[in-house]
Amino acid sequence: MRYIEFGTQKAKISEVVAGLMRINQMSVPELEVFVDTCLSEGINAFDLADIYGGGKCEALIGELLLKRPDLRGKMWIQSKCGIHTDGFNYFDFSKEHILASVDKILMRLQTDHLDSLLLHRPDALMEPEEVAEAFDILESSGKVLDFGVSNENPSQMALLRTCVKQPLAANQLQLSAAFTPALDEGFNVNMEIDAGIVRSAGTFEYCRLHDIVIQAWSSLQYGYFQGVFFGVPKYEKLNAKIDELAEKYGVTNTAVALAWILRYPGKTQAVIGTTKPERIREAARACDFTLTRKEWYEIYLAAGNRLP
Ligand SMILES: NC(=O)c1ccc[n+]([C@@H]2O[C@H](COP(=O)([O-])OP(=O)(O)OC[C@H]3O[C@@H](n4cnc5c(N)ncnc54)[C@H](OP(=O)(O)O)[C@@H]3O)[C@@H](O)[C@H]2O)c1
């Protein structure tokens, strides 16, 4: 495994992150095997959100921590808040909502602190002063050690940074070999083609400029939760290239797909959503090798992209 230094705590956390959005059907004994497998592979970073499974994902981790208190010191735990799910999804970065959400998160997780808290999706009605007040309270009470955002563009982060005094440690963004709008716009600046349409406004570059960790979510999916791209006819060339490189490096397609994400410079993590211990072991191999520059571009092109 490879590690990055995260946030003000300089926590040494794994480049491969176990995303826990889909664990709500697991039993606690199954989850225990899953977490032990992650830790034995060197994966010590775990990602949650208050809305995952309507709170059940966090509650399951809480049950596991109650059963196995030894795990808390080994697990770096991140969660997210800022989305209401009552009736329809809408966003809330008010001080009151952030503070109440963290208290509920900690109660479900049966722990006294989060290693990292992300604001889940941008709230157009955000008042940065209110977020700053909430973060100060969470920091001084020791409830949250580091802070960040998710799915935010540079202007949204800059607006927050006008008031928030804690550094934004991470931005969690969708990225996979089959989902690259943030990269496409960078290759096609000032070009009259659709790939040049600005969708992220230089978000990745902004993160690198400000030492913000890029956490790639849905790192094996295409579209918006359309499924993993492995075996999908539309991505035949991509899969063929990934399989070829998997053979070369003696790993599985999972490891190559994640190595492609981790080849992006700066501090980059791949958040994976498997619930299977055997796939965790495959994913951890992504850190055993580094794709060449040419291989990285071959994968990008095999996904159906063009370069100028
Ligand atoms: N910030 C955000 O807005 C946001 C949004 C979405 C997700 N996330 C985070 O990112 C994490 C990962 O997202 P994700 O779950 O969509 O990621 P993912 O790893 O791309 O997808 C996981 C899903 O793919 C399946 N899968 C994995 N490998 C497979 C293979 N080789 N063949 C067939 N199926 C395979 C898994 O099934 P098995 O369990 O059977 O392996 C699981 O259902 C989440 O857990 C969450 O922490 C964040």
Side-chain angles (χ1 to χ4, degrees), residues 33-211:
V33 171
F34 177 85
V35 169
D36 279 334
T37 304
C38 289
L39 294 172
S40 69
E41 291 295 336
I43 298 173
N44 62 355
F46 297 84
D47 182 65
L48 284 153
D50 57 358
I51 60 168
Y52 292 168
K56 186 159 180 212
C57 298
E58 289 175 337
L60 277 167
I61 291 291
E63 281 182 54
L64 176 60
L65 292 177
L66 199 63
K67 181 180 173 196
R68 289 274 311 276
D70 62 298
L71 289 178
R72 182 64 186 94
K74 299 173 188 163
M75 295 171 75
W76 180 92
I77 301 179
Q78 170 173 274
S79 191
K80 315 182 199 78
C81 71
I83 303 182
H84 284 285
T85 53
D86 45 336
F88 63 99
N89 283 5
Y90 64 99
F91 312 117
D92 188 347
F93 287 5
S94 65
K95 175 182 167 186
E96 185 188 34
H97 182 72
I98 293 171
L99 293 178
S101 299
V102 170
D103 282 343
K104 286 185 215 155
I105 289 170
L106 295 178
M107 207 179 302
R108 280 192 294 270
L109 286 172
Q110 316 216 35
T111 187
D112 61 353
H113 74 279
L114 278 177
D115 296 288
S116 168
L117 174 75
L118 306 185
L119 300 176
H120 206 155
R121 276 205 170 267
D123 172 18
L125 306 183
M126 169 185 83
E127 302 289 357
E129 294 83 357
E130 273 196 64
V131 176
E133 280 180 41
F135 281 10
D136 284 348
I137 292 169
L138 292 171
E139 183 183 53
S140 61
S141 61
K143 289 180 182 174
V144 176
L145 304 187
D146 273 301
F147 299 85
V149 296
S150 177
N151 305 302
E152 293 215 354
N153 69 25
S155 302
Q156 291 160 336
M157 287 184 274
L159 180 57
L160 259 181
R161 292 172 80 232
T162 59
C163 294
V164 167
K165 71 168 194 283
Q166 297 77 9
L168 297 181
N171 188 3
Q172 199 169 103
L173 298 152
Q174 188 174 4
L175 174 70
S176 77
F179 188 93
T180 56
L183 298 176
D184 304 342
E185 74 182 36
F187 286 126
N188 298 285
V189 173
N190 202 29
M191 305 277 286
E192 288 181 314
I193 56 173
D194 283 358
I197 293 171
V198 171
R199 290 192 164 86
S200 86
T203 297
F204 282 23
E205 289 79 7
Y206 183 93
C207 288
R208 289 183 66 193
L209 274 168
H210 296 279
D211 196 29

Side-chain angles (χ1 to χ4, degrees), residues 18-22 47-49 52 80 118 120-121 150-151 172-173 216-221 225 227-228 230 253-254 271-276 279 282:
L20 304 176
M21 181 179 73
R22 302 176 192 263
D47 182 65
L48 284 153
Y52 292 168
K80 315 182 199 78
L118 306 185
H120 206 155
R121 276 205 170 267
S150 177
N151 305 302
Q172 199 169 103
L173 298 152
W217 61 261
S218 285
S219 44
L220 300 175
Q221 306 266 323
F225 299 119
V228 295
F230 298 145
N253 54 359
T254 295
V271 190
I272 54 169
T274 186
T275 55
K276 305 273 187 324
R279 288 193 175 137
E282 289 179 29

